[in-house]
Amino acid sequence: MSDPAVRVDTTSQVPPYEQIRAQLAALIRTGRLAEGDRLPTVRQLATDLGLAPGTVARAYRELEAAHLIRTRRGAGTRVAELPPAHGHDVHQLNTLARDFTSAARALGAGTEDILSAVRSALD
């Protein structure tokens, strides 16, 4: 996972674990992190971000619960196989919107900037 970077804004009202979870979920769902891609260890990502390992571990646990990543002893943490998309899933759309919004807020974007980015992406 050298190219897509995760960033945490410690001044944001969004908790750091949620910023990590949302950014990684967005990278996985958009294909920037593909099935089988290895994620950094909890300790390594925590060190890189200047956070406590427990913060990163919580984000990873939530990603595992959402079946986006899997951790195997000796094989590390990898992106899981995404289930095939079948039509328009409102729940998944809402999750993607929440993930995008959390990631955008972590970058310091306000509501109008976020709405503008979505409108631009739709055009």
Side-chain angles (χ1 to χ4, degrees), residues 26-49:
L27 290 169
I28 292 167
R29 288 191 174 113
T30 60
R32 290 195 54 210
L33 286 176
E35 176 186 348
D37 282 355
R38 190 172 188 157
L39 279 82
T41 64
V42 166
R43 183 171 289 148
Q44 183 61 55
L45 187 56
T47 299
D48 292 348
L49 297 174

Side-chain angles (χ1 to χ4, degrees), residues 1-4 24 27-28 32-42 44-45 60 68-80:
M1 190 186 109
S2 57
D3 182 41
L24 287 175
L27 290 169
I28 292 167
R32 290 195 54 210
L33 286 176
E35 176 186 348
D37 282 355
R38 190 172 188 157
L39 279 82
T41 64
V42 166
Q44 183 61 55
L45 187 56
Y60 276 22
L68 294 174
I69 63 172
R70 64 184 184 285
T71 302
R72 303 272 188 266
R73 189 183 253 327
T77 302
R78 297 187 181 270
V79 175

Side-chain angles (χ1 to χ4, degrees), residues 100-101 104-105 108-121:
F100 170 74
T101 302
R105 290 211 188 280
T111 300
E112 287 306 314
D113 291 332
I114 294 169
L115 290 172
S116 177
V118 169
R119 286 186 193 102
S120 177

